[in-house]
């Protein structure tokens, strides 16, 4: 479904601010595959998403989606077949429009002034029931009155209303409280599995990196330094993942955000002292 072949991107080349962001990176995702990506700040995770989405053209290499070469296709044309969720729950929806109107837009039912039909509203209610947040009874409420968690769940629903070829999740639960984040993650699992949506998810949570989807990628300095799946992944612990990162990157992971909790960090540090 997605094939990246030797893509590279350097920002401000030839200047004192030159920054190699992606370095000869290759990746192949099968249809319906769900892979998580973890790495420290500056590793190139969001830059990778921008390259896939077409936010800029890569310096070299190719991007292929569903067998189509989209390397030089502009962002708005790629957006027809891929959806992307960001960390900010306030993005991705029109706050002044109702829940029903937002869903109508996502379903391709006309422009800004369109209103959903009776049939559409029944369909939307069925989808909203998946959220288990009572939003099916608030179809005429402006989205701007929803909580952050409700808006992010609604955004996920909108992004998959018409199942995309590729779903990009850029730390889409990072700004939510733990309980709400788990609800959104469970919804993510359910929708992507039932719809068979090819998915890439960035996370700083090492446990999520090992439990969401079926494949874990670790990035460093614009490269993929670890790619695990199957039985090997199922038996891995967070400590195993950090050890494998050290082996692949040649250094320890230094970003504290990738550690699930202070307790987990302490445990990892104690294990390293005993090595």
């Amino acid at each position: 479904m997605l094939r990246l072949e030797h893509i590279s991107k350097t920002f401000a080349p030839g200047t004192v601010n030159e920054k190699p962001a992606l370095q000869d990176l290759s990746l192949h995702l099968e249809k319906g595959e769900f892979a998580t990506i973890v790495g420290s700040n500056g590793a190139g995770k969001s830059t990778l998403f921008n390259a896939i989405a077409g936010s800029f053209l890569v310096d070299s290499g190719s991007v292929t989606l569903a067998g189509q070469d989209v390397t030089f296709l502009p962002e708005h044309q790629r957006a027809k077949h891929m959806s992307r969720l960001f960390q900010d729950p306030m993005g991705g929806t029109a706050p002044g429009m109702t829940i029903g109107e937002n869903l109508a837009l996502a379903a391709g039912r006309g422009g800004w002034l369109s209103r959903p039909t009776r049939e559409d509203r029944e369909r939307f209610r069925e989808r909203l029931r998946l959220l288990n947040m009572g939003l099916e009874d608030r179809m005429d409420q402006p989205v701007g009155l929803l909580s952050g968690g409700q808006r992010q769940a609604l955004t996920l629903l909108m992004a998959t209303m018409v199942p995309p070829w590729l779903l990009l999740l850029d730390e889409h639960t990072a700004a939510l409280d733990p309980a709400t984040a788990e609800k959104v993650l469970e919804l993510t699992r359910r929708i992507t599995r039932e719809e068979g949506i090819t998915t890439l998810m960035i996370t700083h949570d090492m446990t999520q990196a090992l439990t969401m989807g079926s494949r874990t990628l670790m990035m460093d300095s614009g490269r993929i330094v670890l790619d695990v799946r199957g039985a090997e992944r199922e038996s891995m612990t967070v400590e195993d993942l950090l050890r494998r990162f050290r082996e692949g990157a040649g250094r320890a992971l230094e970003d504290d955000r990738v550690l699930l909790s202070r307790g987990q960090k302490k445990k990892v540090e104690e294990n390293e002292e005993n090595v």
Side-chain angles (χ1 to χ4, degrees):
M1 176 58 72
L2 174 69
R3 184 179 292 274
L4 308 177
E5 296 287 352
H6 304 288
I7 63 171
S8 295
K9 180 65 180 181
T10 297
F11 294 108
T15 72
V16 294
N17 296 318
E18 180 173 307
K19 170 66 176 177
L22 297 173
Q23 302 187 63
D24 194 34
L25 186 150
S26 295
L27 174 66
H28 179 211
L29 287 180
E30 299 287 351
K31 186 179 185 304
E33 192 169 13
F34 189 138
T36 58
I37 305 176
V38 68
S40 61
N41 287 333
K45 305 181 299 298
S46 291
T47 304
L48 173 62
F49 274 21
N50 288 336
I52 295 171
S55 301
F56 54 73
L57 297 181
V58 295
D59 297 334
S60 59
S62 63
V63 181
T64 304
L65 185 63
Q68 300 180 21
D69 188 340
V70 299
T71 308
F72 300 104
L73 208 63
E75 186 171 15
H76 70 276
Q77 292 189 26
R78 299 191 201 189
K80 296 176 182 178
H81 302 297
M82 66 176 70
S83 296
R84 184 174 181 180
L85 270 70
F86 295 88
Q87 180 175 338
D88 183 5
M90 299 300 107
T93 55
M97 300 177 67
T98 68
I99 294 174
E101 289 167 343
N102 271 269
L103 289 171
L105 283 175
R109 294 292 190 267
W112 289 94
L113 298 179
S114 64
R115 291 186 177 276
T117 65
R118 179 178 298 177
E119 292 76 13
D120 287 335
R121 289 175 67 87
E122 287 304 313
R123 177 191 172 202
F124 297 160
R125 282 196 179 91
E126 288 302 313
R127 295 288 289 176
L128 287 168
R129 287 191 180 97
L130 296 176
L131 306 182
N132 195 28
M133 293 180 174
L135 298 185
E136 64 272 16
D137 299 320
R138 300 163 63 184
M139 292 271 289
D140 296 320
Q141 183 177 49
V143 169
L145 298 180
L146 302 182
S147 69
Q150 289 170 332
R151 285 184 68 166
Q152 196 70 313
L154 178 62
T155 301
L156 176 61
L157 205 63
M158 292 170 61
T160 55
M161 180 66 67
V162 178
W165 292 351
L166 179 66
L167 178 62
L168 302 176
L169 303 173
D170 196 344
E171 295 191 79
H172 69 307
T173 63
L176 307 178
D177 66 82
T180 304
E182 186 53 43
K183 280 188 177 182
V184 174
L185 286 173
E186 182 53 41
L187 182 66
T188 302
R189 292 186 185 95
R190 179 175 178 179
I191 291 177
T192 54
R193 181 177 62 248
E194 292 180 354
E195 300 291 348
I197 300 172
T198 308
T199 305
L200 272 174
M201 186 184 92
I202 294 174
T203 180
H204 270 91
D205 187 317
M206 299 289 277
T207 300
Q208 286 181 15
L210 287 172
T211 57
M212 290 293 294
S214 58
R215 183 174 176 185
T216 299
L217 310 172
M218 294 194 79
M219 290 188 66
D220 180 64
S221 301
R223 300 174 295 121
I224 294 175
V225 297
L226 180 65
D227 183 351
V228 291
R229 70 188 90 183
E232 180 185 17
R233 180 181 188 259
E234 291 175 3
S235 63
M236 288 188 77
T237 64
V238 170
E239 289 77 13
D240 292 332
L241 204 54
L242 292 172
R243 175 179 53 79
R244 291 289 299 276
F245 177 87
R246 288 196 301 272
E247 295 171 355
R251 63 179 181 83
L253 191 63
E254 299 173 350
D255 191 340
D256 287 346
R257 287 188 64 200
V258 300
L259 298 176
L260 180 61
S261 65
R262 289 183 180 180
Q264 183 181 59
K265 179 182 178 182
K266 182 178 180 181
K267 180 179 178 182
V268 172
E269 289 174 342
E270 290 174 348
N271 289 342
E272 289 180 343
E273 288 176 358
N274 294 329
V275 172

